[in-house]
Amino acid sequence: MNQPETTTRITVLTVPDCPNAPLVRERIAEALEGRTLPVEWIEVHDADEATRQGMTGSPTLLLDGIDPFARDGAAPSLSCRLYRHADGTTDGAPAVADLRPALTASGPSETTRT
């Protein structure tokens, strides 16, 4: 039985010339394991836009409009964002090991999305 094909909407919010944009791009590609999904890249230029878009630092990754790595109480921000990994280290993008389940969780569900 064929399942309906759905596409996770991946959006990356960055400030112009974000130094971590190449790292998050590389990790998304690695986490997708050869699958190709479109990634929308949005440059955020001011605090009002950061608030509207849900950006809590650059880069912010949204899957179907939701930040799967959001921290409680994080305020909208144009600053560099750091992601904490399972081993306690931090850097400017989610770890591939964290991206894989996030991408899976935002994928097809048993109910039809409208």
Side-chain angles (χ1 to χ4, degrees):
M1 174 189 251
N2 291 336
Q3 293 184 357
E5 187 174 320
T6 62
T7 302
T8 299
R9 187 170 41 100
I10 303 171
T11 306
V12 180
L13 307 171
T14 65
V15 295
D17 301 317
C18 174
N20 291 313
L23 179 61
V24 76
R25 183 184 305 270
E26 176 183 305
R27 289 190 180 162
I28 290 169
E30 188 176 340
L32 289 172
E33 299 175 311
R35 294 178 293 146
T36 302
L37 292 177
V39 178
E40 180 181 17
W41 292 82
I42 298 175
E43 281 193 355
V44 177
H45 297 274
D46 61 50
D48 288 339
E49 188 177 3
T51 299
R52 278 193 312 278
Q53 296 283 356
M55 180 176 176
T56 57
S58 182
T60 292
L61 175 72
L62 303 176
L63 300 178
D64 293 329
I66 298 170
D67 182 348
F69 305 103
R71 293 184 333 251
D72 288 340
S77 174
L78 296 173
S79 64
C80 285
R81 181 170 175 175
L82 293 176
Y83 291 83
R84 183 166 306 282
H85 307 301
D87 65 2
T89 61
T90 58
D91 68 13
V96 172
D98 296 330
L99 279 168
R100 283 186 180 129
L103 288 166
T104 300
S106 64
S109 67
E110 292 180 14
T111 60
T112 304
R113 296 177 198 219
T114 57

